[in-house]
Amino acid sequence: MNTKEKERIQHDFKEKMDYDELLNCMRCGFCLPSCPTYIESDYDEVHSPRGRIALMKGVVDGVIEPDEDVKQSLDMCLGCRACEPVCPAGVNYGHLLEQARDIIYQNKELPKHVKVIRNVAFKGLFPYQNRMIGVTSLLGFYQRSGVQQLTRKSGIMKLFPDSLRTMEKVLPEVPKRKEMKNRPRYYKPIQQKKKKVAFFSGCLMDTMFLSTNNATAKLLQYAGCEIVVPQNQGCCGALHGHSGEKDQAKELAKRNIKAFEKAEVDYIITNAGGCGAFLVDYKHLLKDEEEWKERAEHLSMKIKDISKILVELDFHKKPLKLDQQIITYQDSCHLKNGQKTFMEPRQLLEAIQGASYVEMKDASRCCGSAGIYNLVEPEMSMQILDYKMEKTKETKAKTVVTANPGCLLQMKLGIEREGLSEEVEAVHIVDLLLKAYEEANL
């Protein structure tokens, strides 16, 4: 960083960082055992929540220079928020991290290629669902046309890093453009109506993972829900908010608020832990905007994960059945730490007849996906994933269940890296529950 960049960053840290929140950290260290990067960096305090807060406060106080080391410490953080539930002072670490990253990335001159990639992704792609559909359609053409097989046989993939080569192997078979463009906007309940809900379909979930969204709608129908899918909704903004693009995240939040506030529903249902947690956080994101803060809070209060409403509607008491197997569960960090949803997925999985549920040790420790973390910090991400796979193998599970698309791809990546693809599969909880319900009832 040059001198002018450092001066701008230091000025904005003083002006914009929540100093009271920084002071709430008592330096007690309760957060340390819960932090994956602290553990995997051989207990380096710089890569702990307590250490990062100390760096932020030091920059505000003017005793620490906001140099590349400070940026690297903040970039290395997964943003999993595992430190928050164990903090006796209730420090909102996730909010501090987002504030700090936003200040740094809005004031630092990035390399041209990085700037182009960020602009294309954050401003040119994710906010526009039609463009997401277009890019996903290209991926579908790559998969179905024979180009994928040709690319693999040619050896071109060897030019890419190992993690990207493996990720290419585990990408789901994406839907056709027509399916993505013609998704239903209304579903009647199949069982007696119990609730009317709106479904947050998301961006990646409604393109690359459309089949899981379709399964979510069917599960809600079986549970007795009338469902509306507002047409003008879009990306939740989580990737933007976590990556130093706070203004863009606010614009996406406002668009979603407008899309959902006309829907007279009991809840807004999500099936992606990361999206759900960020939607809940809209009330914080827009707390300083008079026109939006109440509207944001109203939306945030209605957010509910699919697993939570299913338990609320006693779906786990319905007949559920699978072939005899061991299943285990990998927590979505933001579902657990952001939405405070922990027991409900387990209640649902434990209710499946024929399957034995085995709890994974450290199931709630981050898998290393963390949005785009596995792309920008591949070494640490794979280190964290290796630990997760050790614990997965200890369960002897045939099926690893997740509740977030990033976690799903990361666990598939881990299974492929370990050479277990013939023995173990990773699935979204919605897909597994739908299969279990239909095998038992249809």
Side-chain angles (χ1 to χ4, degrees):
M1 294 183 192
N2 60 45
T3 302
K4 286 186 178 180
E5 287 174 343
K6 291 177 182 178
E7 288 174 355
R8 290 198 301 266
I9 291 170
Q10 190 133 37
H11 173 269
D12 280 5
F13 260 71
K14 289 181 180 180
E15 291 294 315
K16 297 179 180 180
M17 288 298 297
D18 187 339
Y19 198 70
D20 289 338
E21 195 69 69
L22 290 171
L23 288 176
N24 282 340
C25 177
M26 303 182 298
R27 313 290 191 265
C28 66
F30 277 34
C31 59
L32 300 182
S34 69
C35 178
T37 55
Y38 173 71
I39 295 167
E40 296 297 335
S41 64
D42 292 328
Y43 310 105
D44 186 345
E45 188 76 34
V46 169
H47 295 306
S48 73
R50 178 173 71 175
R52 291 181 178 112
I53 289 174
L55 289 177
M56 295 178 207
K57 184 175 180 298
V59 173
V60 175
D61 292 339
V63 298
I64 292 177
E65 192 176 69
D67 56 16
E68 288 294 337
D69 289 338
V70 172
K71 177 181 177 296
Q72 175 60 19
S73 173
L74 298 178
D75 284 346
M76 189 66 76
C77 180
L78 292 148
C80 67
R81 297 171 60 180
C83 50
E84 292 184 13
V86 298
C87 177
V91 175
N92 289 304
Y93 173 81
H95 296 162
L96 291 172
L97 178 68
E98 287 176 7
Q99 284 178 333
R101 281 179 173 170
D102 184 58
I103 291 168
I104 289 173
Y105 277 93
Q106 295 310 311
N107 285 290
K108 177 177 168 52
E109 189 63 36
L110 299 171
K112 285 186 179 180
H113 71 282
V114 174
K115 196 170 183 178
V116 168
I117 292 170
R118 287 175 67 91
N119 282 338
V120 168
F122 293 136
K123 296 178 181 178
L125 180 59
F126 283 100
Y128 303 99
Q129 195 63 6
N130 280 337
R131 296 179 189 176
M132 291 290 294
I133 290 172
V135 171
T136 306
S137 298
L138 289 175
L139 177 59
F141 174 79
Y142 169 76
Q143 291 177 333
R144 289 186 284 268
S145 66
V147 175
Q148 185 177 52
Q149 293 301 321
L150 184 63
T151 301
R152 291 176 179 176
K153 289 177 181 178
S154 71
I156 292 174
M157 293 305 298
K158 292 180 181 178
L159 300 174
F160 294 89
D162 178 62
S163 59
L164 282 180
R165 289 202 305 272
T166 310
M167 184 66 78
E168 187 268 346
K169 292 181 182 179
V170 302
L171 288 174
E173 185 176 332
V174 301
K176 294 180 179 178
R177 186 184 186 90
K178 186 176 180 181
E179 294 176 70
M180 293 184 280
K181 294 285 285 186
N182 299 325
R183 66 122 55 253
R185 296 291 165 185
Y186 176 79
Y187 299 82
K188 292 181 180 179
I190 294 174
Q191 306 290 344
Q192 180 184 359
K193 179 181 173 180
K194 296 180 180 178
K195 297 288 181 183
K196 182 179 180 182
V197 302
F199 178 45
F200 181 80
S201 51
C203 51
L204 271 180
M205 289 303 298
D206 219 35
T207 49
M208 188 179 294
F209 296 95
L210 180 62
S211 62
T212 299
N213 269 5
N214 291 340
T216 302
K218 192 168 279 191
L219 273 183
L220 289 170
Q221 287 179 287
Y222 285 138
C225 290
E226 179 185 3
I227 312 159
V228 294
V229 187
Q231 190 161 4
N232 294 324
Q233 63 173 298
C235 175
C236 68
L239 286 176
H240 302 77
H242 301 328
S243 303
E245 298 288 343
K246 198 170 183 180
D247 286 344
Q248 187 71 33
K250 287 181 178 181
E251 290 306 309
L252 293 170
K254 291 171 185 177
R255 185 175 73 180
N256 284 321
I257 290 167
K258 285 191 283 188
F260 280 92
E261 61 189 358
K262 293 180 182 178
E264 297 179 0
V265 295
D266 300 303
Y267 303 118
I268 299 169
I269 304 302
T270 68
N271 61 6
C275 297
F278 201 72
L279 290 164
V280 168
D281 250 5
Y282 277 5
K283 61 181 182 289
H284 173 78
L285 183 68
L286 298 171
K287 65 182 175 62
D288 297 324
E289 299 196 26
E290 198 62 38
E291 181 188 350
W292 291 95
K293 63 180 183 181
E294 285 188 16
R295 295 163 74 179
E297 188 164 354
H298 183 70
L299 180 138
S300 295
M301 288 173 62
K302 288 195 171 186
I303 301 300
K304 194 180 287 283
D305 183 70
I306 177 68
S307 63
K308 202 153 193 167
I309 191 172
L310 289 178
V311 169
E312 185 178 306
L313 297 178
D314 290 332
F315 190 83
H316 58 302
K317 296 179 182 178
K318 294 178 181 289
L320 302 169
K321 185 179 180 182
L322 288 174
D323 293 338
Q324 188 172 4
Q325 61 183 284
I326 295 174
I327 57 178
T328 192
Y329 178 69
Q330 156 64 22
D331 284 283
S332 155
C333 296
H334 286 95
L335 182 58
K336 177 181 180 289
N337 303 320
Q339 294 187 75
K340 317 300 181 190
T341 301
F342 177 76
M343 285 307 302
E344 290 84 354
R346 290 165 169 81
Q347 284 178 266
L348 291 162
L349 295 176
E350 288 172 352
I352 299 174
Q353 298 173 16
S356 302
Y357 177 77
V358 175
E359 179 73 9
M360 183 194 302
K361 184 180 179 183
D362 292 333
S364 57
R365 184 187 290 188
C366 186
C367 63
S369 172
I372 58 171
Y373 187 91
N374 55 2
L375 300 177
V376 297
E377 299 288 347
E379 186 176 344
M380 178 59 78
S381 175
M382 293 303 103
Q383 203 171 319
I384 291 167
L385 179 59
D386 287 344
Y387 176 83
K388 182 62 64 175
M389 292 311 301
E390 284 180 27
K391 301 308 166 191
T392 300
K393 287 187 284 188
E394 287 174 7
T395 67
K396 302 188 185 304
K398 175 189 173 185
T399 305
V400 183
V401 184
T402 72
N404 191 62
C407 302
L408 178 59
L409 287 178
Q410 185 81 339
M411 295 309 293
K412 284 178 176 290
L413 179 63
I415 291 167
E416 183 71 26
R417 276 164 52 91
E418 294 289 329
L420 298 173
S421 55
E422 298 297 320
E423 307 161 39
V424 184
E425 66 171 340
V427 300
H428 193 289
I429 188 170
V430 162
D431 296 306
L432 189 75
L433 288 174
L434 180 61
K435 182 180 179 182
Y437 179 84
E438 292 189 337
E439 286 197 14
N441 295 274
L442 299 181

